[in-house]
Amino acid sequence: MRQDYLISVIVPIYNVGKYLHKCVDSILQQSYTNLEIILVDDGSTDGCGKICDDYQRIDSRIKVVHKSNGGLVSARKAGAIAASGDYVVNVDGDDWVEEEYFENFARALHSYKPDIVYSTKHYKDYNNHSDIIKVNLLDQKEMYRIYSGAYGFPRCEESNVTYGLWLVCVERRLYVQIQNSVNDRIIHCEDVSCIMRLMARTDRVHFIDEGGYHYVQRNDSLTHTKRRFTDIVLWDTLNDLEQLGISPNSGFQKVITGMCGIIKLSTEFGRLQKKEYNYLFPYSDVKKGSSLVVYGAGSLGKQIIGYILESKEYCLMAWVDAKEQSEINGIGIKPVESILGMRYDKIIVATVKKHLMDDMCSTLEALGICKQEISTLDYDLLSTLMETQ
């Protein structure tokens, strides 16, 4: 494998000591070795800084940046400033990559010389298993037509593309320019904001079918801050696109607005519930006082569970999921089949992705559960979310 391109690997790190060795070791063991590895210690208090320094002493490819805590965007900016490679790839400090991850990028760089290489496949790692996440569009031209900035984006609920900076390899000068334009205050979905800006500035994007990135799922709290960081993502990104001369009616504008609505739903669920609502927003057929089963243990499922327990306006009968999990934050998660024989008013399908929603509904119907007992989010109701905030 030719090693012509120097790839700068930026690893933002904050209090991930439990995961950091596996992350850095996976980068050091890459089959593609022409790497510049930049470990950015964002003011960690759990010993990550010392771990970074120890690694720097054993491998000359490693640079360490120590800084006061400023958040993920700030850490990535510090890494971008320190980078000197031809291309940049991000790897979060609690994740890890398979041996040929960077070789897959390098192969595409040699063959097509794009500004961005976008991996369409990655893995979500749980305690005892991994799920593969893959875009179901195998035709290169069709993927480019749908996802490239030259043509706009699909409705986000109809796409399973992941807007993760750790899935893209970007020409360094382009990356530095765009990363430095992202607002440091963004703490939710900063990847969305950066990738939208990148894709708006080039049509030289190549998608690859190979994966190898493992996104480690950590059981964080059920509820999140109520500060309106999602609004910062929306308006900061839209302002950048407007300055670039992109029409307010473009695919970019539509997808960033839609994405922010979904992000807000998945991170600020409780704040979106209004006293005047007699239902669980945006599940218009779930009336207050209902006995509920929540199906789904992702970010939206956690938010819904947290709100039900906090508000006491609904009765939680069970939390179920297709994946084997004993509990999250002390709350037991049962298999989907356990719904049979339960007494409830509605089963809430807790996902914003249309393809997953369809699969989950099919699973329930295969168990003999009638459609009237299944509640999915109302997309028309959700579309009003960002307009009314």
Side-chain angles (χ1 to χ4, degrees), residues 231 234-235 257 260-261 264 382-389:
D231 296 340
L234 174 63
W235 303 121
T257 302
C260 285
K264 187 180 287 288
L382 184 61
S383 67
T384 67
L385 179 58
M386 297 311 294
E387 299 172 7
T388 58
Q389 295 301 304

Side-chain angles (χ1 to χ4, degrees), residues 52-72:
C52 293
D53 292 337
D54 290 343
Y55 272 111
Q56 186 177 33
R57 283 190 284 271
I58 64 174
D59 198 305
S60 60
R61 296 176 297 172
I62 294 178
K63 295 180 180 179
V64 176
V65 176
H66 294 286
K67 61 184 291 295
S68 59
N69 181 245
L72 182 55

Side-chain angles (χ1 to χ4, degrees), residues 265-266 269 283 296 298-305 349-352 377:
L265 182 67
S266 299
F269 187 84
Y283 294 87
S299 57
L300 180 56
K302 293 176 185 178
Q303 286 283 309
I304 293 173
I305 291 291
V349 177
T351 182
V352 296
L377 64 84

Side-chain angles (χ1 to χ4, degrees), residues 54-173:
D54 290 343
Y55 272 111
Q56 186 177 33
R57 283 190 284 271
I58 64 174
D59 198 305
S60 60
R61 296 176 297 172
I62 294 178
K63 295 180 180 179
V64 176
V65 176
H66 294 286
K67 61 184 291 295
S68 59
N69 181 245
L72 182 55
V73 173
S74 172
R76 284 178 171 161
K77 287 181 179 179
I81 291 171
S84 60
D86 301 299
Y87 287 83
V88 173
V89 177
N90 282 271
V91 176
D92 286 351
D94 50 356
D95 298 334
W96 64 281
V97 290
E98 295 181 1
E99 185 178 355
E100 296 184 352
Y101 190 61
F102 296 106
E103 182 178 329
N104 293 332
F105 284 133
R107 191 178 298 113
L109 295 177
H110 285 299
S111 298
Y112 302 99
K113 296 179 173 54
D115 290 329
I116 300 173
V117 181
Y118 209 133
S119 173
T120 63
K121 182 169 65 177
H122 69 283
Y123 300 87
K124 283 189 176 181
D125 283 9
Y126 298 86
N127 288 334
N128 56 3
H129 73 285
S130 293
D131 285 346
I132 187 168
I133 311 297
K134 188 177 186 304
V135 174
N136 293 321
L137 301 172
L138 299 180
D139 183 85
Q140 177 72 32
K141 292 181 180 178
E142 178 66 7
M143 282 197 295
Y144 179 77
R145 184 187 70 78
I146 292 177
Y147 296 128
S148 168
Y151 299 97
F153 289 75
R155 288 177 57 178
C156 39
E157 72 270 12
E158 295 174 352
S159 165
N160 61 346
V161 69
T162 299
Y163 297 96
L165 269 179
W166 29 268
L167 290 175
V168 296
C169 178
V170 187
E171 192 276 326
R172 179 179 59 83
R173 287 171 296 181

Side-chain angles (χ1 to χ4, degrees), residues 68-349:
S68 59
N69 181 245
L72 182 55
V73 173
S74 172
R76 284 178 171 161
K77 287 181 179 179
I81 291 171
S84 60
D86 301 299
Y87 287 83
V88 173
V89 177
N90 282 271
V91 176
D92 286 351
D94 50 356
D95 298 334
W96 64 281
V97 290
E98 295 181 1
E99 185 178 355
E100 296 184 352
Y101 190 61
F102 296 106
E103 182 178 329
N104 293 332
F105 284 133
R107 191 178 298 113
L109 295 177
H110 285 299
S111 298
Y112 302 99
K113 296 179 173 54
D115 290 329
I116 300 173
V117 181
Y118 209 133
S119 173
T120 63
K121 182 169 65 177
H122 69 283
Y123 300 87
K124 283 189 176 181
D125 283 9
Y126 298 86
N127 288 334
N128 56 3
H129 73 285
S130 293
D131 285 346
I132 187 168
I133 311 297
K134 188 177 186 304
V135 174
N136 293 321
L137 301 172
L138 299 180
D139 183 85
Q140 177 72 32
K141 292 181 180 178
E142 178 66 7
M143 282 197 295
Y144 179 77
R145 184 187 70 78
I146 292 177
Y147 296 128
S148 168
Y151 299 97
F153 289 75
R155 288 177 57 178
C156 39
E157 72 270 12
E158 295 174 352
S159 165
N160 61 346
V161 69
T162 299
Y163 297 96
L165 269 179
W166 29 268
L167 290 175
V168 296
C169 178
V170 187
E171 192 276 326
R172 179 179 59 83
R173 287 171 296 181
L174 174 63
Y175 174 76
V176 171
Q177 173 196 354
I178 301 307
Q179 183 64 76
N180 283 334
S181 73
V182 178
N183 194 318
D184 285 1
R185 296 171 61 206
I186 298 176
I187 64 169
H188 288 307
C189 293
E190 56 286 322
D191 292 25
V192 175
S193 183
C194 189
I195 284 180
M196 291 295 173
R197 300 172 200 223
L198 286 169
M199 300 286 268
R201 284 167 171 80
T202 181
D203 57 5
R204 294 167 52 82
V205 182
H206 182 76
F207 292 86
I208 58 173
D209 195 35
E210 293 86 7
Y213 191 97
H214 286 255
Y215 177 26
V216 177
Q217 303 299 290
R218 298 162 60 186
N219 292 336
D220 297 318
S221 61
L222 290 173
T223 55
H224 297 266
T225 176
K226 294 183 179 181
R227 294 176 64 186
R228 301 175 68 176
F229 288 107
T230 309
D231 296 340
I232 300 174
V233 178
L234 174 63
W235 303 121
D236 192 61
T237 308
L238 290 184
N239 181 63
D240 177 81
L241 297 179
E242 184 178 348
Q243 291 182 16
L244 196 62
I246 293 178
S247 164
N249 296 319
S250 71
F252 278 104
Q253 301 281 19
K254 292 175 183 177
V255 78
I256 190 63
T257 302
M259 279 294 296
C260 285
I262 286 176
I263 295 163
K264 187 180 287 288
L265 182 67
S266 299
T267 58
E268 305 176 40
F269 187 84
R271 190 177 69 79
L272 303 177
Q273 308 305 316
K274 306 298 183 183
K275 289 183 178 179
E276 60 268 25
Y277 295 166
N278 66 345
Y279 60 89
L280 186 70
F281 180 91
Y283 294 87
S284 54
D285 57 348
V286 176
K287 305 304 179 185
K288 282 187 177 179
S290 298
S291 296
L292 305 175
V293 174
V294 177
Y295 178 13
S299 57
L300 180 56
K302 293 176 185 178
Q303 286 283 309
I304 293 173
I305 291 291
Y307 177 74
I308 289 174
L309 296 178
E310 181 180 339
S311 71
K312 299 183 174 25
E313 293 180 335
Y314 303 87
C315 179
L316 179 64
M317 305 306 293
W319 191 6
V320 303
D321 193 73
K323 303 180 182 69
E324 293 183 10
Q325 300 180 67
S326 56
E327 63 177 38
I328 294 180
N329 292 86
I331 301 173
I333 302 174
K334 300 179 180 180
V336 180
E337 295 78 9
S338 66
I339 295 174
L340 298 176
M342 286 186 187
R343 300 182 66 178
Y344 55 83
D345 296 314
K346 288 285 185 180
I347 300 172
I348 294 178
V349 177

